[in-house]
Amino acid sequence: DSKLHSGSTFTVYLPAAPHQTFAEPAVAPKASNEETTRQMNGNGRILIVDDEEAIRALVEFTLGRLGYEVTEADTALRGVELYREAFKQGRRFDLVILDLTLPGGMGGKDALKMLLEIDPTVTAIVSSGYATDATMSRYQDLGFRGVISKPYEAAELGRTVQETILASRSENAAECEFQHAC
């Protein structure tokens, strides 16, 4: 309800919850933090490309505790260089997390194009604080295999990384079996 020079009143209607008694738990009991962490543990090499030092530090700390080896880059060009060097040495990254907007004229979308030229099987997640950017909703059309919005929650970051790496590994294994090339 809105009135000129008086303001607006918003009424929000929420669906009613199913009837329950106080004896019933409202939700299933959550797993302990230790159990949740154990479920998200993984292995692999991760490259985080983000201009925010705090984000890079959070990713390195969180994923490092989950068993991943994390390398950081603060610009898209530096990230591409690090990926190229590792790829030439036969130590490719299992996953690249690319910030959508980076300084220096090259963002995550352009960096992914360059990475795909180096390694057509690169696995990348797009990351941004701009949840409404079209890239975030149609990330797969651009070659990304996953998406994560800032600010990160450690559990969401761990789960997204683990799921994306596992999906990529199973896709690559299936393709390898199909081609009998491995």
Side-chain angles (χ1 to χ4, degrees):
D1 185 27
S2 184
K3 293 182 181 148
L4 187 61
H5 303 295
S6 296
S8 299
T9 301
F10 296 88
T11 305
V12 178
Y13 296 94
L14 300 174
H19 178 72
Q20 69 185 53
T21 65
F22 288 108
E24 299 172 357
V27 293
K30 288 187 176 183
S32 70
N33 284 343
E34 184 179 317
E35 185 179 327
T36 302
T37 301
R38 204 175 323 110
Q39 292 171 353
M40 289 188 301
N41 282 347
N43 60 28
R45 300 184 68 238
I46 312 291
L47 174 61
I48 173 69
V49 182
D50 198 298
D51 59 317
E52 295 179 56
E53 185 176 344
I55 296 290
R56 293 191 314 270
L58 170 74
V59 170
E60 183 170 20
F61 176 79
T62 302
L63 296 181
R65 290 192 57 170
L66 293 174
Y68 297 97
E69 178 186 332
V70 181
T71 302
E72 303 176 24
D74 61 351
T75 66
L77 284 176
R78 180 68 182 139
V80 171
E81 288 172 17
L82 288 170
Y83 194 94
R84 181 180 288 120
E85 290 169 15
F87 189 76
K88 284 180 182 177
Q89 295 171 4
R91 296 193 66 229
R92 72 185 291 277
F93 287 96
D94 295 288
L95 179 73
V96 181
I97 302 172
L98 289 165
D99 187 9
L100 189 57
T101 54
L102 292 161
M106 182 189 302
K109 287 189 293 190
D110 294 329
L112 180 59
K113 288 177 187 174
M114 292 179 75
L115 292 174
L116 286 166
E117 289 175 8
I118 297 166
D119 176 9
T121 65
V122 66
T123 301
I125 292 176
V126 64
S127 166
S128 179
Y130 301 106
T132 58
D133 188 292
T135 302
M136 298 296 280
S137 60
R138 54 185 199 95
Y139 64 93
Q140 291 172 318
D141 296 343
L142 300 167
F144 291 100
R145 302 245 184 131
V147 61
I148 188 163
S149 297
K150 294 179 190 177
Y152 302 143
E153 288 187 19
E156 180 186 10
L157 176 64
R159 187 173 39 261
T160 301
V161 165
Q162 182 187 52
E163 289 172 358
T164 305
I165 288 175
L166 290 176
S168 174
R169 286 177 180 165
S170 62
E171 285 174 17
N172 290 341
E175 186 173 318
C176 195
E177 283 181 25
F178 179 73
Q179 294 178 357
H180 302 289
C182 296

